[in-house]
Amino acid sequence: AGGFAAPVLPSSDFETQIQVPFEAQGATLPLVVENAAGRRSFGLPLAAVSPAIFTDRDGTPLLLDADSGEALDAANPARSGTRVQILATGLGRVIPSWPSGVPAPVDSPPRVEAQVSVRLDREPVQVTRATLAPGYIGFYLIEVQLPKIVNAGPAEVFIEAGGRMSNRVRLYLIP
């Protein structure tokens, strides 16, 4: 990818995930893919950041209770005043710089260089940290503090980084 080896993450017969190297620059990322079927070359649009909240195959976002590590969904909603962790991608460079394809350290993972904000039903919530996800490649961990007072039910959540917005997902809440 652009003269750099792009780490291959999960791969199957139907899809392959790669990590765009932190060092990649420019407006387009030239990509060469080789497999048993042959070699393909194409270009992908490249931006300093392109935030996205991870979701599973059913579209359920990867949101966790920061204290228990439990997944949050309609059956296990977040409580007002708690901390929520958001697993994301596309947040760009980190400080200190970190090599592509290497799992982030568990202790003191590098922090995201771009300004990261999170909105809950279009209102800003406090971001307590935005780092590489400890022990993972290609994941970022954003932790937010929920307000002490929230409306019960589903709420829309999205990330903004470097002036670009992520996909919008649902977080279920209880007071």
Side-chain angles (χ1 to χ4, degrees):
F4 301 100
V8 176
L9 304 174
S11 182
S12 72
D13 290 340
F14 304 103
E15 71 178 13
T16 298
Q17 296 177 22
I18 64 167
Q19 179 187 19
V20 174
F22 292 118
E23 305 81 12
Q25 295 182 17
T28 304
L29 179 68
L31 187 65
V32 177
V33 178
E34 290 184 56
N35 61 22
R39 179 181 175 132
R40 281 188 65 199
S41 299
F42 49 95
L44 296 175
L46 183 64
V49 297
S50 186
I53 298 171
F54 277 110
T55 60
D56 67 14
R57 292 186 191 273
D58 297 327
T60 302
L62 297 179
L63 306 173
L64 306 169
D65 179 286
D67 293 324
S68 70
E70 291 182 24
L72 298 170
D73 55 24
N76 185 34
R79 296 189 177 278
S80 59
T82 61
R83 292 175 300 121
V84 171
Q85 294 177 332
I86 303 167
L87 291 173
T89 192
L91 298 180
R93 295 179 184 266
V94 293
I95 301 170
S97 61
W98 191 253
S100 300
V102 176
V106 174
D107 295 325
S108 302
R111 67 179 173 81
V112 175
E113 184 177 282
Q115 178 68 34
V116 175
S117 62
V118 175
R119 300 212 178 243
L120 178 69
D121 279 343
R122 298 190 183 123
E123 295 296 321
V125 292
Q126 179 187 4
V127 174
T128 57
R129 73 174 172 158
T131 66
L132 289 177
Y136 290 91
I137 298 170
F139 282 66
Y140 294 83
L141 180 88
I142 302 166
E143 190 172 280
V144 298
Q145 177 71 50
L146 294 181
K148 292 184 182 192
I149 299 174
V150 297
N151 293 324
E156 181 183 73
V157 174
F158 65 92
I159 300 166
E160 187 172 348
R164 300 187 73 164
M165 289 187 286
S166 73
N167 54 322
R168 294 166 189 262
V169 300
R170 258 195 198 137
L171 171 64
Y172 292 89
L173 302 168
I174 56 175

